[in-house]
């Protein structure tokens, strides 16, 4: 069997970038696949109305798949709304977190403290989780930090927001556009990868996992392996796929 070490790399995401509020320029940012982030991306602007609405948000509220949604006057949506995709699991104002110039954080300790150390980790069989923050890109002050979990509604592309486990299927190209490994019905025309085996990595070893060595443990008839990595460079599993 041929082994390929190709991977999409750590997941980063540019949700946020620049916006205006009475107190100055604010931005919504978070994890996800963000290799190129622009502080002037209007798709991530936080309006004055949205910034005010965040103050009323609480755990249990829901957000659309694109966390800013299409209405720049609101933040959370009703969880019965067809656009609801994420549920907020925790939210904190003025957290002990500082943004960096790229619109993310240098040290994830504050994110882990609020969201748990497995936030955004891609664990086979588990729903997507993520985090985000609203911050001032001039001072890098973080006004709000929040944690989310997918409620199970398919993405706009039809992907179930659950990390595939052994025997399940996914589209490898969608990982870069949807920011996570997601599950598709194996008879879908969009499927290009089947997980023959998923070797879980002990949490204590996520930061130092040797994907090639772990792939040697895979069973069955597989063609290539792929580390399942998150935005902080943690490998939670290794997929052996065909």
């Amino acid at each position: 069997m041929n082994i390929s070490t190709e991977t999409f790399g750590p997941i980063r995401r540019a949700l946020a970038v620049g916006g205006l509020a009475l107190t100055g320029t604010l931005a919504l940012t978070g994890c996800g696949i963000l290799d190129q982030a622009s502080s002037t991306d209007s798709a991530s602007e936080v309006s004055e109305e949205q910034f005010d609405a965040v103050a009323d948000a609480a755990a249990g509220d829901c957000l659309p798949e694109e966390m800013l949604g299409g209405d720049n006057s609101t933040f959370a949506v009703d969880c019965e709304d067809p656009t609801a995709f994420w549920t907020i699991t925790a939210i904190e104002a003025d957290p002990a977190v500082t943004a960096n110039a790229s619109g993310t954080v240098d040290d994830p300790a504050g994110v882990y403290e609020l969201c748990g150390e497995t936030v955004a980790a891609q664990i086979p069989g588990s729903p997507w989780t993520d985090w985000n923050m609203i911050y001032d890109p001039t001072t890098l002050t973080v006004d709000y930090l929040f944690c989310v979990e997918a409620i199970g509604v398919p993405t706009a592309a039809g992907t179930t927001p659950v990390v595939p486990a052994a025997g399940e299927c996914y589209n490898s190209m969608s990982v870069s556009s949807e920011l996570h490994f997601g599950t598709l019905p194996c008879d879908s025309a969009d499927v290009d990868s089947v997980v023959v085996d998923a070797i879980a990595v002990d949490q204590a070893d996520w930061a130092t996992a040797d994907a090639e060595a772990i792939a040697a443990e895979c069973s069955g008839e597989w063609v290539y392996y792929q580390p399942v990595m998150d935005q902080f460079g943690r490998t939670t599993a290794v997929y052996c796929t065909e």
Side-chain angles (χ1 to χ4, degrees), residues 134-228:
I134 293 177
Y135 76 111
D136 184 326
T138 301
T139 65
L140 303 181
T141 300
V142 177
D143 297 281
Y144 294 95
L145 176 69
F146 57 96
C147 326
V148 295
E149 180 175 307
I151 62 177
V153 175
T155 69
T159 303
T160 298
V162 173
V163 183
E168 295 183 320
C169 302
Y170 66 99
N171 180 289
S172 59
M173 297 306 296
S174 70
V175 177
S176 59
S177 61
E178 294 188 329
L179 318 176
H180 299 76
F181 285 89
T183 303
L184 286 168
C186 287
D187 60 358
S188 169
D190 294 326
V191 166
D192 65 7
S193 300
V194 179
V195 181
V196 174
D197 206 352
I199 307 299
V201 176
D202 289 341
Q203 187 173 341
D205 299 326
W206 283 358
T208 58
D210 182 336
E212 184 174 0
I214 294 169
E217 302 175 25
C218 286
S219 60
E221 295 296 323
W222 55 280
V223 178
Y224 66 94
Y225 74 84
Q226 184 168 6
V228 181

Coordinates of all heavy atoms in Angstrom, one line a residue, residues 134-228:
I134 N -14.8 38.3 20.1 CA -15.0 39.7 19.6 C -13.9 40.5 20.2 O -13.8 40.5 21.5 CB -16.4 40.2 19.8 CG1 -17.4 39.3 19.0 CG2 -16.5 41.6 19.5 CD1 -18.8 39.7 19.2
Y135 N -13.2 41.2 19.4 CA -12.0 41.9 19.9 C -11.8 43.2 19.2 O -12.4 43.5 18.1 CB -10.7 41.1 19.8 CG -10.2 41.0 18.4 CD1 -8.9 41.6 18.1 CD2 -10.8 40.3 17.4 CE1 -8.4 41.5 16.9 CE2 -10.3 40.3 16.1 CZ -9.1 40.9 15.9 OH -8.6 40.8 14.6
D136 N -11.0 44.1 19.7 CA -10.6 45.3 19.1 C -9.2 45.1 18.4 O -8.2 44.9 19.1 CB -10.5 46.4 20.2 CG -10.2 47.8 19.6 OD1 -9.4 47.9 18.6 OD2 -10.6 48.8 20.2
P137 N -9.2 45.1 17.1 CA -8.0 44.9 16.4 C -6.9 45.9 16.5 O -5.8 45.7 16.2 CB -8.4 44.7 14.9 CG -9.6 45.5 14.8 CD -10.3 45.4 16.1
T138 N -7.3 47.1 17.1 CA -6.3 48.1 17.3 C -5.6 47.9 18.7 O -4.3 48.0 18.7 CB -7.0 49.5 17.3 OG1 -7.6 49.7 16.1 CG2 -6.0 50.6 17.6
T139 N -6.3 47.7 19.7 CA -5.7 47.4 21.0 C -5.5 46.0 21.3 O -4.8 45.6 22.3 CB -6.7 48.0 22.1 OG1 -7.9 47.3 22.1 CG2 -7.0 49.5 21.8
L140 N -6.2 45.1 20.5 CA -6.1 43.6 20.7 C -6.8 43.2 22.0 O -6.6 42.1 22.5 CB -4.7 43.1 20.7 CG -3.9 43.4 19.4 CD1 -2.5 42.8 19.4 CD2 -4.7 42.9 18.1
T141 N -7.6 44.1 22.5 CA -8.5 43.7 23.7 C -9.6 42.8 23.3 O -10.3 43.1 22.3 CB -9.0 45.0 24.3 OG1 -8.0 45.9 24.7 CG2 -9.9 44.7 25.5
V142 N -9.8 41.8 24.0 CA -10.9 40.8 23.8 C -12.1 41.2 24.6 O -12.0 41.3 25.8 CB -10.5 39.4 24.0 CG1 -11.7 38.4 23.8 CG2 -9.3 39.0 23.1
D143 N -13.2 41.5 24.0 CA -14.5 41.9 24.7 C -15.3 40.7 25.1 O -15.8 40.7 26.2 CB -15.3 42.8 23.8 CG -14.6 44.1 23.5 OD1 -14.6 45.0 24.3 OD2 -14.0 44.2 22.4
Y144 N -15.4 39.7 24.2 CA -16.1 38.5 24.5 C -15.4 37.3 23.9 O -14.9 37.3 22.8 CB -17.5 38.6 23.9 CG -18.4 39.6 24.4 CD1 -18.5 40.9 23.8 CD2 -19.2 39.4 25.6 CE1 -19.3 41.9 24.4 CE2 -20.0 40.4 26.1 CZ -20.1 41.6 25.5 OH -20.9 42.6 26.0
L145 N -15.4 36.2 24.7 CA -14.9 34.9 24.2 C -16.1 33.9 24.4 O -16.8 34.0 25.4 CB -13.7 34.5 25.1 CG -13.2 33.1 24.8 CD1 -12.4 33.0 23.5 CD2 -12.2 32.7 26.0
F146 N -16.3 33.1 23.3 CA -17.4 32.2 23.5 C -17.0 30.8 22.8 O -16.2 30.7 22.0 CB -18.7 32.7 22.9 CG -18.7 33.2 21.5 CD1 -19.1 32.3 20.5 CD2 -18.3 34.5 21.2 CE1 -19.1 32.8 19.1 CE2 -18.2 34.9 19.8 CZ -18.7 34.0 18.8
C147 N -17.7 29.8 23.3 CA -17.5 28.4 22.8 C -18.8 27.9 22.2 O -19.9 28.2 22.7 CB -17.1 27.5 24.0 SG -16.1 28.3 25.3
V148 N -18.6 27.1 21.2 CA -19.8 26.6 20.5 C -19.7 25.1 20.2 O -18.6 24.5 20.1 CB -20.1 27.3 19.2 CG1 -20.4 28.8 19.4 CG2 -18.9 27.2 18.2
E149 N -20.8 24.5 19.9 CA -20.9 23.1 19.5 C -22.0 22.9 18.4 O -23.1 23.5 18.6 CB -21.2 22.1 20.7 CG -21.2 20.7 20.3 CD -21.4 19.7 21.5 OE1 -20.6 19.9 22.4 OE2 -22.3 18.9 21.5
A150 N -21.7 22.2 17.4 CA -22.7 22.0 16.3 C -23.9 21.2 16.9 O -23.7 20.3 17.7 CB -22.1 21.2 15.1
I151 N -25.1 21.6 16.5 CA -26.3 21.0 17.0 C -26.7 19.8 16.1 O -27.7 19.1 16.4 CB -27.5 22.0 17.1 CG1 -27.8 22.5 15.7 CG2 -27.1 23.1 18.1 CD1 -29.0 23.5 15.8
G152 N -26.0 19.5 15.0 CA -26.3 18.3 14.2 C -26.9 18.6 12.9 O -27.2 17.7 12.1
V153 N -27.3 19.9 12.6 CA -27.9 20.3 11.4 C -26.8 20.2 10.3 O -25.7 20.7 10.5 CB -28.5 21.7 11.4 CG1 -29.0 22.2 10.1 CG2 -29.6 21.8 12.5
P154 N -27.1 19.6 9.1 CA -26.1 19.6 8.1 C -25.6 21.0 7.6 O -26.4 21.9 7.7 CB -26.8 18.8 6.9 CG -27.9 18.0 7.6 CD -28.3 18.9 8.7
T155 N -24.4 21.0 7.1 CA -23.9 22.3 6.6 C -24.6 22.6 5.3 O -25.3 21.8 4.7 CB -22.4 22.2 6.3 OG1 -22.2 21.3 5.2 CG2 -21.6 21.7 7.5
A156 N -24.3 23.8 4.8 CA -24.9 24.2 3.5 C -24.5 23.3 2.4 O -25.2 23.1 1.4 CB -24.4 25.6 3.2
A157 N -23.4 22.6 2.5 CA -22.9 21.6 1.5 C -23.4 20.2 1.8 O -23.1 19.3 1.0 CB -21.4 21.6 1.5
G158 N -24.2 20.0 2.8 CA -24.8 18.7 3.1 C -24.0 17.8 4.0 O -24.3 16.6 4.2
T159 N -22.9 18.3 4.6 CA -22.1 17.6 5.5 C -22.6 17.5 6.9 O -23.1 18.5 7.4 CB -20.7 18.2 5.6 OG1 -20.1 18.3 4.2 CG2 -19.7 17.4 6.4
T160 N -22.7 16.3 7.5 CA -23.1 16.2 8.9 C -21.9 16.7 9.8 O -20.8 16.2 9.6 CB -23.4 14.8 9.2 OG1 -24.6 14.4 8.4 CG2 -23.8 14.6 10.7
P161 N -22.1 17.6 10.7 CA -21.0 18.2 11.4 C -20.5 17.3 12.6 O -20.6 17.7 13.8 CB -21.6 19.5 12.0 CG -23.0 19.3 12.1 CD -23.4 18.3 11.0
V162 N -20.1 16.1 12.2 CA -19.6 15.1 13.1 C -18.3 14.6 12.5 O -18.3 14.3 11.3 CB -20.6 13.9 13.4 CG1 -19.9 12.9 14.2 CG2 -21.8 14.4 14.1
V163 N -17.2 14.5 13.3 CA -15.9 14.0 12.8 C -16.1 12.5 12.4 O -16.5 11.7 13.3 CB -14.8 14.2 13.8 CG1 -13.5 13.8 13.2 CG2 -14.8 15.7 14.2
P164 N -15.7 12.1 11.2 CA -15.9 10.7 10.8 C -15.2 9.7 11.7 O -14.1 10.0 12.1 CB -15.4 10.7 9.4 CG -15.4 12.1 8.9 CD -15.2 12.9 10.1
A165 N -15.8 8.6 11.9 CA -15.2 7.5 12.6 C -14.9 6.4 11.6 O -15.2 6.5 10.4 CB -16.1 7.0 13.7
A166 N -14.3 5.3 12.0 CA -14.0 4.2 11.1 C -15.3 3.7 10.5 O -16.3 3.6 11.1 CB -13.4 3.0 11.9
G167 N -15.2 3.5 9.2 CA -16.3 3.0 8.4 C -17.2 4.1 7.8 O -18.1 3.9 7.0
E168 N -16.9 5.4 8.2 CA -17.6 6.5 7.6 C -16.8 7.2 6.5 O -15.7 6.9 6.3 CB -18.0 7.4 8.8 CG -18.9 6.8 9.8 CD -19.3 7.7 10.9 OE1 -18.5 8.5 11.4 OE2 -20.5 7.6 11.3
C169 N -17.5 8.1 5.9 CA -17.0 8.7 4.6 C -17.0 10.2 4.7 O -17.7 10.8 5.5 CB -17.8 8.3 3.4 SG -17.9 6.5 3.2
Y170 N -16.1 10.8 3.9 CA -16.0 12.3 3.9 C -15.4 12.7 2.6 O -15.0 11.9 1.7 CB -15.2 12.8 5.1 CG -13.7 12.4 5.0 CD1 -12.7 13.3 4.6 CD2 -13.2 11.2 5.5 CE1 -11.4 13.0 4.5 CE2 -11.9 10.8 5.5 CZ -11.0 11.8 5.0 OH -9.6 11.4 5.0
N171 N -15.5 14.0 2.3 CA -14.8 14.6 1.2 C -13.6 15.4 1.6 O -13.7 16.3 2.4 CB -15.8 15.6 0.5 CG -15.2 16.2 -0.7 OD1 -14.3 17.1 -0.6 ND2 -15.7 15.9 -1.9
S172 N -12.4 15.0 1.2 CA -11.2 15.5 1.6 C -11.0 17.0 1.3 O -10.4 17.8 2.0 CB -10.0 14.7 1.1 OG -10.0 14.8 -0.3
M173 N -11.6 17.4 0.2 CA -11.5 18.8 -0.2 C -12.4 19.7 0.6 O -12.1 20.9 0.8 CB -11.9 19.0 -1.7 CG -11.0 18.2 -2.6 SD -9.2 18.6 -2.4 CE -9.2 20.4 -2.8
S174 N -13.5 19.2 1.2 CA -14.4 20.0 2.0 C -13.7 20.4 3.3 O -14.2 21.3 4.0 CB -15.7 19.3 2.2 OG -15.5 18.2 3.1
V175 N -12.7 19.7 3.7 CA -12.0 20.0 5.0 C -11.5 21.4 5.0 O -11.6 22.1 6.0 CB -10.9 19.0 5.3 CG1 -10.2 19.4 6.6 CG2 -11.4 17.6 5.4
S176 N -11.0 21.9 3.9 CA -10.5 23.2 3.8 C -11.5 24.3 3.7 O -11.4 25.4 4.2 CB -9.5 23.4 2.6 OG -10.2 23.1 1.4
S177 N -12.7 23.9 3.1 CA -13.7 24.9 3.0 C -14.7 24.9 4.2 O -15.2 26.0 4.5 CB -14.5 24.7 1.7 OG -15.2 23.4 1.7
E178 N -14.9 23.8 4.8 CA -15.8 23.7 5.9 C -15.1 23.7 7.3 O -15.7 23.7 8.3 CB -16.7 22.4 5.8 CG -17.6 22.5 4.6 CD -18.6 21.3 4.6 OE1 -18.3 20.2 5.1 OE2 -19.7 21.5 4.1
L179 N -13.8 23.7 7.2 CA -12.9 24.0 8.4 C -12.8 22.8 9.3 O -12.0 22.8 10.3 CB -13.4 25.2 9.2 CG -13.9 26.4 8.3 CD1 -14.5 27.4 9.2 CD2 -12.7 26.9 7.5
H180 N -13.5 21.7 9.1 CA -13.4 20.5 9.9 C -13.6 19.3 9.0 O -14.2 19.4 7.9 CB -14.6 20.4 11.0 CG -14.6 21.6 11.9 ND1 -15.1 22.8 11.6 CD2 -14.3 21.6 13.3 CE1 -15.0 23.6 12.7 NE2 -14.5 22.9 13.7
F181 N -13.2 18.1 9.5 CA -13.6 16.9 8.9 C -15.1 16.6 9.2 O -15.5 16.7 10.4 CB -12.8 15.7 9.5 CG -11.4 15.6 9.0 CD1 -10.3 16.3 9.6 CD2 -11.0 14.9 7.9 CE1 -9.0 16.2 9.2 CE2 -9.7 14.8 7.4 CZ -8.7 15.5 8.1
G182 N -15.9 16.4 8.2 CA -17.3 16.1 8.4 C -17.7 14.9 7.7 O -17.1 14.4 6.8
T183 N -18.9 14.3 8.1 CA -19.3 13.0 7.6 C -20.3 13.2 6.5 O -21.2 14.0 6.6 CB -20.0 12.2 8.8 OG1 -19.0 12.1 9.8 CG2 -20.4 10.9 8.3
L184 N -20.2 12.3 5.5 CA -21.1 12.3 4.4 C -21.7 10.9 4.3 O -21.0 9.9 4.6 CB -20.5 12.7 3.1 CG -20.1 14.1 2.8 CD1 -19.2 14.3 1.6 CD2 -21.4 14.9 2.6
P185 N -22.9 10.7 3.7 CA -23.4 9.3 3.4 C -22.4 8.7 2.4 O -21.9 9.3 1.5 CB -24.7 9.5 2.8 CG -25.2 10.9 3.3 CD -23.9 11.7 3.4
C186 N -22.0 7.4 2.7 CA -21.0 6.8 1.8 C -21.5 6.6 0.4 O -20.6 6.4 -0.5 CB -20.6 5.5 2.4 SG -19.5 5.7 3.9
D187 N -22.8 6.7 0.1 CA -23.2 6.7 -1.3 C -23.3 8.0 -1.9 O -23.8 8.2 -3.1 CB -24.6 5.9 -1.4 CG -25.7 6.6 -0.6 OD1 -25.4 7.6 0.1 OD2 -26.8 6.1 -0.6
S188 N -22.9 9.1 -1.3 CA -22.9 10.4 -1.8 C -21.9 10.6 -2.9 O -20.8 10.0 -2.9 CB -22.6 11.5 -0.7 OG -22.4 12.7 -1.3
A189 N -22.3 11.3 -4.0 CA -21.4 11.5 -5.1 C -20.2 12.4 -4.7 O -19.2 12.4 -5.4 CB -22.1 12.2 -6.2
D190 N -20.3 13.1 -3.5 CA -19.2 13.9 -3.1 C -18.1 13.2 -2.3 O -17.1 13.8 -2.0 CB -19.8 15.0 -2.2 CG -20.7 16.0 -3.0 OD1 -20.4 16.2 -4.1 OD2 -21.7 16.5 -2.4
V191 N -18.4 11.9 -2.0 CA -17.4 11.2 -1.2 C -16.2 10.9 -2.0 O -16.3 10.4 -3.1 CB -18.0 9.9 -0.6 CG1 -17.0 8.9 -0.1 CG2 -19.0 10.2 0.5
D192 N -15.0 11.1 -1.4 CA -13.8 10.7 -2.1 C -12.8 9.9 -1.1 O -11.8 9.5 -1.5 CB -13.0 11.9 -2.7 CG -12.5 12.9 -1.7 OD1 -12.6 12.7 -0.5 OD2 -12.0 14.0 -2.1
S193 N -13.3 9.8 0.2 CA -12.4 9.1 1.1 C -13.3 8.3 2.1 O -14.3 8.8 2.6 CB -11.6 10.1 2.0 OG -10.8 10.9 1.1
V194 N -12.9 7.1 2.4 CA -13.6 6.2 3.3 C -12.6 5.9 4.4 O -11.4 5.5 4.2 CB -14.0 4.9 2.7 CG1 -14.7 4.0 3.7 CG2 -14.9 5.1 1.5
V195 N -13.0 6.1 5.7 CA -12.1 5.8 6.8 C -12.1 4.3 7.1 O -13.1 3.8 7.6 CB -12.6 6.6 8.1 CG1 -11.6 6.3 9.2 CG2 -12.7 8.1 7.8
V196 N -11.0 3.7 6.7 CA -10.9 2.2 7.0 C -10.6 2.0 8.4 O -11.1 1.1 9.0 CB -9.8 1.7 6.1 CG1 -9.5 0.2 6.4 CG2 -10.1 1.8 4.6
D197 N -9.8 2.8 9.0 CA -9.4 2.7 10.4 C -9.1 4.1 11.0 O -8.6 5.0 10.2 CB -8.2 1.8 10.6 CG -8.2 1.1 12.0 OD1 -9.0 1.5 12.8 OD2 -7.3 0.2 12.2
A198 N -9.5 4.4 12.2 CA -9.2 5.6 12.8 C -8.5 5.3 14.2 O -9.1 4.8 15.1 CB -10.5 6.4 13.1
I199 N -7.2 5.6 14.2 CA -6.4 5.3 15.4 C -6.4 6.6 16.3 O -5.9 7.6 15.9 CB -5.0 5.0 15.0 CG1 -5.0 3.8 14.0 CG2 -4.2 4.6 16.3 CD1 -5.6 2.5 14.4
A200 N -7.1 6.4 17.4 CA -7.2 7.6 18.4 C -5.8 7.8 19.0 O -5.1 6.8 19.3 CB -8.2 7.3 19.4
V201 N -5.5 9.0 19.3 CA -4.3 9.4 20.0 C -4.6 9.8 21.4 O -5.6 10.5 21.6 CB -3.6 10.6 19.2 CG1 -2.3 11.1 20.0 CG2 -3.2 10.2 17.8
D202 N -3.9 9.3 22.4 CA -4.1 9.7 23.8 C -4.0 11.3 23.9 O -3.1 11.9 23.3 CB -3.1 9.1 24.7 CG -3.3 7.6 24.9 OD1 -4.4 7.1 24.6 OD2 -2.4 6.9 25.3
Q203 N -4.9 11.9 24.6 CA -4.9 13.3 24.7 C -3.5 13.9 25.2 O -3.1 14.9 24.7 CB -6.0 13.8 25.7 CG -6.2 15.3 25.7 CD -7.4 15.7 26.5 OE1 -8.3 15.0 26.8 NE2 -7.4 17.0 26.9
A204 N -2.9 13.2 26.0 CA -1.6 13.7 26.5 C -0.5 13.8 25.4 O 0.5 14.5 25.5 CB -1.1 12.8 27.6
D205 N -0.8 13.0 24.3 CA 0.2 13.0 23.2 C -0.3 13.8 22.0 O 0.4 13.7 20.9 CB 0.4 11.5 22.8 CG 1.0 10.7 23.9 OD1 1.7 11.2 24.7 OD2 0.6 9.5 24.0
W206 N -1.4 14.5 22.1 CA -1.9 15.2 20.9 C -0.9 16.2 20.3 O -0.8 16.3 19.1 CB -3.1 16.1 21.3 CG -4.4 15.2 21.4 CD1 -4.5 13.9 21.2 CD2 -5.7 15.7 21.8 NE1 -5.8 13.5 21.5 CE2 -6.5 14.6 21.8 CE3 -6.2 17.0 22.2 CZ2 -7.9 14.7 22.2 CZ3 -7.5 17.1 22.5 CH2 -8.4 16.0 22.5
A207 N -0.1 16.9 21.1 CA 0.8 17.9 20.6 C 2.1 17.3 20.0 O 2.8 17.9 19.2 CB 1.2 18.8 21.7
T208 N 2.4 16.0 20.3 CA 3.7 15.4 19.8 C 3.5 14.1 19.0 O 4.4 13.4 18.7 CB 4.5 15.1 21.1 OG1 3.8 14.2 21.9 CG2 4.9 16.3 21.9
A209 N 2.3 13.8 18.6 CA 2.0 12.6 17.9 C 2.8 12.4 16.6 O 3.0 13.4 15.9 CB 0.5 12.5 17.6
D210 N 3.3 11.2 16.4 CA 4.0 10.9 15.2 C 3.1 10.1 14.3 O 2.8 8.9 14.5 CB 5.2 10.0 15.6 CG 6.1 9.6 14.3 OD1 5.6 9.7 13.2 OD2 7.3 9.3 14.5
A211 N 2.5 10.8 13.3 CA 1.4 10.3 12.5 C 1.9 9.0 11.7 O 1.2 8.1 11.6 CB 0.9 11.3 11.6
E212 N 3.1 9.1 11.2 CA 3.6 8.0 10.4 C 3.7 6.7 11.3 O 3.4 5.6 10.8 CB 5.0 8.3 9.8 CG 5.5 7.2 8.9 CD 6.8 7.7 8.2 OE1 7.2 8.8 8.4 OE2 7.3 6.9 7.4
A213 N 4.2 6.9 12.5 CA 4.4 5.7 13.4 C 3.0 5.2 13.8 O 2.8 4.0 13.8 CB 5.2 6.1 14.6
I214 N 2.0 6.1 14.0 CA 0.7 5.6 14.4 C 0.0 4.9 13.3 O -0.7 3.9 13.5 CB -0.1 6.9 14.9 CG1 0.5 7.4 16.2 CG2 -1.6 6.5 15.1 CD1 -0.1 8.8 16.5
A215 N 0.3 5.4 12.0 CA -0.4 4.8 10.9 C 0.0 3.3 10.7 O -0.7 2.5 10.1 CB 0.0 5.5 9.6
A216 N 1.2 2.9 11.3 CA 1.6 1.5 11.2 C 0.6 0.6 12.0 O 0.6 -0.6 11.7 CB 3.0 1.4 11.8
E217 N -0.2 1.2 12.8 CA -1.2 0.4 13.6 C -2.5 0.1 12.8 O -3.3 -0.6 13.3 CB -1.5 1.1 14.9 CG -0.3 1.4 15.8 CD -0.7 2.2 17.0 OE1 -1.8 2.1 17.4 OE2 0.2 2.9 17.6
C218 N -2.6 0.8 11.7 CA -3.9 0.7 11.0 C -4.1 -0.7 10.4 O -3.1 -1.4 10.1 CB -3.9 1.7 9.8 SG -4.2 3.4 10.3
S219 N -5.3 -1.1 10.4 CA -5.7 -2.5 9.9 C -6.5 -2.3 8.6 O -6.9 -1.2 8.3 CB -6.5 -3.2 10.9 OG -7.7 -2.5 11.3
G220 N -6.8 -3.4 7.9 CA -7.6 -3.4 6.7 C -6.8 -2.9 5.5 O -5.6 -2.7 5.5
E221 N -7.6 -2.8 4.4 CA -7.0 -2.4 3.1 C -7.1 -0.9 3.0 O -8.1 -0.4 2.5 CB -7.7 -3.2 2.0 CG -7.4 -4.7 2.0 CD -6.0 -5.0 1.8 OE1 -5.3 -4.4 1.0 OE2 -5.5 -6.0 2.5
W222 N -6.0 -0.2 3.3 CA -6.1 1.2 3.2 C -5.0 1.7 2.2 O -4.0 1.0 1.9 CB -5.9 1.9 4.5 CG -4.7 1.5 5.3 CD1 -4.5 0.4 6.1 CD2 -3.4 2.2 5.4 NE1 -3.2 0.3 6.6 CE2 -2.6 1.5 6.2 CE3 -3.0 3.4 4.8 CZ2 -1.3 1.9 6.5 CZ3 -1.7 3.8 5.1 CH2 -0.9 3.1 6.0
V223 N -5.2 2.9 1.7 CA -4.3 3.4 0.6 C -3.4 4.5 1.2 O -2.2 4.6 0.8 CB -5.1 4.0 -0.5 CG1 -4.2 4.6 -1.6 CG2 -6.0 2.9 -1.1
Y224 N -3.9 5.4 2.0 CA -3.0 6.5 2.5 C -3.5 6.9 3.9 O -4.6 6.5 4.3 CB -3.1 7.7 1.6 CG -4.4 8.4 1.5 CD1 -4.7 9.5 2.3 CD2 -5.3 8.0 0.6 CE1 -5.9 10.2 2.3 CE2 -6.6 8.7 0.5 CZ -6.8 9.7 1.3 OH -8.1 10.4 1.2
Y225 N -2.6 7.6 4.6 CA -3.0 8.0 6.0 C -3.1 9.5 6.0 O -2.4 10.2 5.3 CB -2.1 7.4 7.0 CG -0.7 8.0 7.1 CD1 -0.5 9.2 7.9 CD2 0.4 7.4 6.5 CE1 0.8 9.7 8.0 CE2 1.6 8.0 6.6 CZ 1.8 9.1 7.4 OH 3.1 9.6 7.5
Q226 N -3.8 10.0 7.0 CA -4.0 11.5 7.2 C -4.1 11.8 8.6 O -5.0 11.3 9.3 CB -5.2 12.0 6.4 CG -5.3 13.5 6.4 CD -6.3 14.1 5.4 OE1 -7.0 13.3 4.8 NE2 -6.4 15.4 5.3
P227 N -3.2 12.6 9.2 CA -3.4 13.1 10.6 C -4.7 13.9 10.7 O -4.9 14.7 9.8 CB -2.1 13.9 10.8 CG -1.2 13.6 9.8 CD -2.0 13.2 8.6
V228 N -5.4 13.8 11.7 CA -6.6 14.6 12.0 C -6.1 15.7 12.9 O -6.0 15.4 14.1 CB -7.7 13.7 12.6 CG1 -9.0 14.6 12.8 CG2 -8.1 12.6 11.6

